[in-house]
């Protein structure tokens, strides 16, 4: 999460980020094994749910007084959850893109993987830019003093809420949109590939 760098010292944040990155990679490596027992849709929703749980744990820790800057390492628990879910979603979304290429070939009699996969790169860059822009707006809205050694309690409360609540709400919307709109499940793809 882009705003998390402001909740603890940078060197500790980098340690947490590196651990999260490693967890995301681990999730990417285990998805093929999980695909033998679960459908793509089940894994996709699970990726959303584990992220939602991670954000809710962060919120509960912050308001329950469990997390303090001195024990930053406790954020590893929800951080691992969030990055595991994120890693799973990245792999499954790539599989979904491949499925849409196959579907497009059957439906339109042309294979457009270059267009579809290049749009993924563009969308990721666009989303990253939007995330940084929104993080900057939030930093201004909550009056975060980036040079201050200690932030006010109100600022920290607002920061914690902005880090978690919008993420949870958007992840829930993502599940709803996916369940309602995505039609290329495993059975449909088996039918297409025949």
């Amino acid at each position: 999460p882009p705003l998390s760098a402001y909740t603890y010292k940078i060197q500790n944040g980098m340690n947490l980020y590196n651990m999260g990155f490693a967890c995301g990679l681990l999730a990417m490596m285990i998805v093929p094994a999980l695909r033998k027992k679960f459908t793509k849709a089940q894994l996709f929703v699970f990726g959303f749910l584990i992220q939602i749980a991670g954000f809710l744990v962060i919120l509960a820790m912050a308001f329950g007084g469990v997390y303090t800057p001195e024990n930053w390492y406790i954020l590893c628990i929800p951080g691992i959850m969030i990055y595991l879910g994120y890693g799973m979603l990245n792999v499954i979304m790539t599989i979904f893109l491949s499925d849409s290429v196959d579907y497009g070939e059957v439906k339109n009699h042309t294979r457009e993987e270059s267009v579809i996969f290049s749009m993924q790169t563009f969308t990721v860059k666009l989303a990253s830019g939007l995330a940084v822009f929104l993080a900057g707006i939030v930093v201004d809205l909550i009056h975060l003093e980036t040079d201050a050694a200690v932030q006010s309690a109100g600022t920290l409360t607002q920061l914690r809420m902005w880090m978690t609540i919008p993420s949870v709400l958007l992840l829930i919307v993502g599940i709803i949109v996916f369940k309602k709109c995505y039609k290329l499940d495993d059975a449909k793809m088996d039918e297409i590939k025949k």
Side-chain angles (χ1 to χ4, degrees):
L3 294 176
S4 63
Y6 296 107
T7 60
Y8 43 85
K9 295 179 183 172
I10 292 299
Q11 68 269 17
N12 295 337
M14 289 309 294
N15 291 339
L16 182 61
Y17 178 77
N18 291 337
M19 183 179 297
F21 183 74
C23 289
L25 287 176
L26 174 67
M28 290 177 183
M29 289 187 285
I30 64 170
V31 165
L34 292 173
R35 280 282 295 129
K36 294 176 183 172
K37 294 187 180 220
F38 303 99
T39 66
K40 293 177 291 204
Q42 289 170 326
L43 291 174
F44 196 65
V45 171
F46 181 72
F48 276 106
L49 293 175
I50 196 169
Q51 283 190 320
I52 290 169
F55 282 115
L56 292 176
V57 168
I58 287 176
L59 197 59
M61 288 173 135
F63 288 110
V66 176
Y67 164 74
T68 62
E70 294 77 35
N71 66 353
W72 63 269
Y73 51 86
I74 200 158
L75 284 175
C76 290
I77 297 164
I80 287 169
M81 295 168 72
I82 292 167
Y83 280 101
L84 281 173
Y86 182 71
M88 288 180 72
L89 290 177
N90 276 335
V91 172
I92 301 297
M93 281 190 283
T94 303
I95 294 170
F96 287 160
L97 284 173
S98 300
D99 290 348
S100 39
V101 168
D102 292 341
Y103 177 74
E105 183 177 16
V106 168
K107 185 157 177 107
N108 303 322
H109 307 291
T110 59
R111 194 160 176 85
E112 302 288 344
E113 65 251 82
S114 59
V115 174
I116 291 173
F117 281 98
S118 64
M119 282 305 296
Q120 179 196 23
T121 305
F122 171 74
T123 334
V124 167
K125 289 178 181 180
L126 182 64
S128 296
L130 184 61
V132 169
F133 174 71
L134 293 174
I137 290 174
V138 168
V139 165
D140 285 345
L141 282 174
I142 65 173
H143 305 294
L144 184 80
E145 298 295 329
T146 55
D147 295 335
V150 177
Q151 300 293 330
S152 72
T155 298
L156 290 176
T157 298
Q158 290 180 66
L159 181 62
R160 290 172 182 138
M161 292 176 74
W162 276 105
M163 279 178 56
T164 54
I165 295 170
S167 297
V168 168
L169 293 175
L170 288 172
L171 287 166
I172 290 169
V173 167
I175 292 172
I176 293 166
V177 168
F178 171 74
K179 289 278 199 183
K180 208 171 231 191
C181 300
Y182 190 76
K183 306 297 181 211
L184 298 177
D185 59 12
D186 288 346
K188 179 75 172 175
M189 287 313 298
D190 288 342
E191 178 187 316
I192 287 171
K193 290 177 182 175
K194 286 181 181 176

